[in-house]
């Protein structure tokens, strides 16, 4: 499973900015990073991890 915090920090984004860019509820992102929740969307997170910019651009167009 991808390390969501590491992905976010690699982009230099706040939790709020990352959640907004990738359309993840902020509370969900915080839960993942704090280990209280485990991503059920791990396939989506793997795509983001491998294609950070492409995923963000695709979501902007949607």
């Amino acid at each position: 499973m991808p390390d969501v915090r590491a992905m976010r920090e690699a982009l230099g984004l706040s939790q709020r900015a990352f959640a907004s860019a990738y359309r993840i509820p902020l509370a969900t992102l915080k839960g993942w990073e704090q280990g209280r929740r485990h991503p059920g969307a791990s396939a989506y997170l793997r795509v983001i991890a491998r294609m950070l910019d492409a995923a963000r651009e695709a979501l902007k167009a949607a």
Side-chain angles (χ1 to χ4, degrees), residues 8-33:
R8 179 180 61 74
E9 289 175 347
L11 291 170
L13 295 175
S14 67
Q15 287 179 325
R16 185 174 306 280
F18 186 89
S20 176
Y22 295 104
R23 298 184 185 182
I24 299 167
L26 182 58
T28 299
L29 177 65
K30 287 180 178 185
W32 291 345
E33 289 193 5

